[in-house]
Amino acid sequence: DAKTTQPPSMDCAEGRAANLPCNHSTISGNEYVYWYRQIHSQGPQYIIHGLKNNETNEMASLIITEDRKSSTLILPHATLRDTAVYYCIVRVERGNKLVFGAGTILRVKS
Amino acid sequence: DGGITQSPKYLFRKEGQNVTLSCEQNLNHDAMYWYRQDPGQGLRLIYYSQIVNDFQKGDIAEGYSVSREKKESFPLTVTSAQKNPTAFYLCASSISGVAGELFFGEGSRLTVL
């Protein structure tokens, strides 16, 4: 599975959009981009995933660049409850496992 | 409600003792996983099972053992051979073949004294 690079931490004001970047320059054509988040001392929660088209669901939007070497997770109106570690993972959709890196600590501040 | 239940939530053990962590799911998922998380680190895969009576080692299987006798259960034993067992342990499940969307339990925090 391709390796990802994320900033270690980011701050965001409550009510503003949080834009979390992820670099995956070695991604293969059949690898998807997945995002999970983990609130302190809880199990990770699935957010969204995509292959090459932008995706949106009730939690977030995923923007993938045309060359697929990077992506951005967007939380449109961040709340204090969005404070968490956000993991970007790339993998083959029907593979056997997910490899989690250190992620980005997002702090939403009032 | 459907979900994954891990127990116990907190566990203290003396060095040299084996410990078994429970993981039960009622989501009818075929695949189940065990991850370990150390402070400030990401998750590392210990073992995974895609079907009953079958399981594979992950990246850090040494010192751990598992069984998958029932679809809904995937217990993890932390043996005395695990050199640094104090950690946060997470169990997850997924529909077989679509491992990207994992559903996680709340975790078990093991402290070895």
Side-chain angles (χ1 to χ4, degrees):
Chain A
D1 294 329
K3 189 174 178 179
T4 62
T5 303
Q6 298 177 255
S9 65
M10 293 181 62
D11 291 338
C12 177
E14 188 178 20
R16 304 297 289 266
N19 298 291
L20 291 95
C22 179
N23 286 324
H24 32 79
S25 58
T26 60
I27 193 169
S28 301
N30 62 345
E31 287 184 313
Y32 286 70
V33 179
Y34 288 87
W35 284 85
Y36 282 75
R37 73 179 182 185
Q38 185 178 24
I39 295 169
H40 183 63
S41 294
Q42 296 183 18
Q45 176 190 23
Y46 165 83
I47 301 173
I48 200 168
H49 77 283
L51 182 62
K52 53 185 178 181
N53 297 323
N54 298 337
E55 302 288 344
T56 295
N57 63 21
E58 65 278 3
M59 289 182 69
S61 295
L62 174 61
I63 308 298
I64 302 174
T65 58
E66 193 168 341
D67 63 7
R68 303 208 325 120
K69 293 185 177 181
S70 66
S71 60
T72 301
L73 178 75
I74 300 172
L75 307 178
H77 304 287
T79 71
L80 297 178
R81 287 179 291 182
D82 291 322
T83 292
V85 179
Y86 287 77
Y87 298 100
C88 170
I89 303 154
V90 294
R91 58 153 303 121
V92 175
E93 186 180 32
R94 291 183 179 272
N96 293 328
K97 58 185 183 181
L98 285 176
V99 177
F100 288 75
T104 296
I105 299 171
L106 175 67
R107 300 184 188 91
V108 180
K109 300 183 175 181
S110 57
Chain B
D1 288 350
I4 299 179
T5 302
Q6 289 186 240
S7 62
K9 192 171 177 67
Y10 298 96
L11 185 60
F12 296 88
R13 279 293 181 268
K14 291 182 180 179
E15 197 171 328
Q17 288 183 325
N18 289 356
V19 170
T20 297
L21 306 180
S22 170
C23 178
E24 304 278 330
Q25 55 99 358
N26 61 3
L27 299 166
N28 200 33
H29 285 169
D30 289 310
M32 297 186 74
Y33 310 79
W34 274 105
Y35 286 88
R36 168 185 172 137
Q37 187 173 36
D38 293 287
Q41 305 293 316
L43 283 67
R44 291 185 290 168
L45 183 65
I46 306 173
Y47 268 98
Y48 62 101
S49 167
Q50 292 193 294
I51 197 168
V52 175
N53 292 323
D54 186 50
F55 49 83
Q56 288 79 40
K57 292 181 179 180
D59 300 317
I60 55 164
E62 186 176 351
Y64 299 98
S65 66
V66 293
S67 63
R68 188 82 188 280
E69 297 175 2
K70 298 186 295 183
K71 186 176 185 178
E72 59 270 22
S73 179
F74 191 41
L76 173 74
T77 297
V78 185
T79 74
S80 56
Q82 168 50 234
K83 292 185 175 133
N84 186 17
T86 294
F88 187 48
Y89 291 88
L90 286 156
C91 179
S93 71
S94 71
I95 299 171
S96 183
V98 191
E101 298 182 44
L102 296 182
F103 294 81
F104 282 85
E106 290 299 306
S108 293
R109 190 168 298 279
L110 171 64
T111 302
V112 174
L113 306 172

